[in-house]
Amino acid sequence: MNKKELVQEIKTQMSATSITTAQIDEVLTHAFDLIREGAHQGTVKLKGFGLFKVVDVKGRIGRNPKTGDSIEIPARQKLTFKASA
């Protein structure tokens, strides 16, 4: 399910309210931004949903599959998610 499908599903389940699809999309966008920002400051745990956190990924040497040349992949941070059990 992508974000557009999620917005439509929420709209379908909230059919009795006067909330628009654009408003649902805006709320989801802000929620995702807050989760992303919170994860950069520490761990974001949503009880019954999952755990978001930023982890450091070390740099490494990779290979271009088309040419076979070695390339350096720089270190970076990535947002991870672990679903609640």
Side-chain angles (χ1 to χ4, degrees):
M1 175 180 288
N2 61 30
K3 184 179 174 189
K4 185 176 180 180
E5 293 169 341
L6 179 59
V7 168
Q8 288 300 321
E9 185 63 29
I10 292 170
K11 177 70 174 165
T12 301
Q13 292 190 17
M14 296 182 68
S15 61
T17 65
S18 61
I19 192 167
T20 66
T21 303
Q23 290 170 324
I24 295 169
D25 184 60
E26 186 176 352
V27 168
L28 281 176
T29 299
H30 288 297
F32 293 151
D33 288 344
L34 288 171
I35 289 170
R36 191 177 303 114
E37 290 171 15
H40 280 285
Q41 296 172 3
T43 300
V44 176
K45 185 175 184 179
L46 301 174
K47 190 172 182 178
F49 184 69
L51 179 82
F52 295 90
K53 68 178 179 177
V54 173
V55 295
D56 293 321
V57 178
K58 292 191 286 185
R60 60 188 171 92
I61 301 297
R63 188 165 303 277
N64 182 334
K66 190 171 186 177
T67 64
D69 294 338
S70 293
I71 57 172
E72 183 179 336
I73 301 171
R76 63 187 178 98
Q77 291 184 322
K78 72 176 185 176
L79 181 64
T80 61
F81 173 73
K82 184 176 179 183
S84 296

